[in-house]
Amino acid sequence: MANLLFTNNARSSLNEAITNSATTITLTTGDGNLFPVITGSDFFFLTLAETNSSGTEIAWENLKCTARSGDVLTVVRGQEGTTGTAWPSGTPIELRV
């Protein structure tokens, strides 16, 4: 049975840009340990978000993380009604409840 995993205040940013169909994401060096360790069929959800100059989110994508190896995440894109989008390096990525 798969378990939905959580970690308090897990936040990083993309170490490199990703395409709209990329299934591997590299986090800022050393930040992978902020996120849960995945075993078996466990998983956690992530959010990539773009903000405007006042800090308001104007675009986002939800992802399902199915594996983590250090700072590299394996993800399923476009979860919960969102669409896979190309994101630039430095885009914030968070595990949100």
Side-chain angles (χ1 to χ4, degrees):
M1 178 177 185
N3 293 305
L4 176 58
L5 305 173
F6 300 96
T7 298
N8 197 22
N9 299 318
R11 177 184 169 91
S12 184
S13 58
L14 299 181
N15 196 49
E16 54 193 44
I18 59 171
T19 65
N20 65 336
S21 61
T23 58
T24 303
I25 293 176
T26 303
L27 303 174
T28 299
T29 302
D31 283 357
N33 289 329
L34 300 172
F35 295 85
V37 173
I38 297 176
T39 59
S41 57
D42 293 348
F43 64 95
F44 57 88
F45 288 106
L46 296 162
T47 301
L48 287 161
E50 177 185 1
T51 58
N52 63 19
S53 60
S54 64
T56 302
E57 288 186 359
I58 57 173
W60 57 88
E61 178 186 350
N62 296 319
L63 306 94
K64 180 180 180 181
C65 182
T66 58
R68 180 179 69 81
S69 178
D71 298 328
V72 179
L73 309 177
T74 301
V75 296
V76 180
R77 305 290 300 274
Q79 300 294 293
E80 299 177 351
T82 63
T83 301
T85 303
W87 296 94
S89 175
T91 299
I93 186 166
E94 299 176 334
L95 189 163
R96 299 178 176 178
V97 177

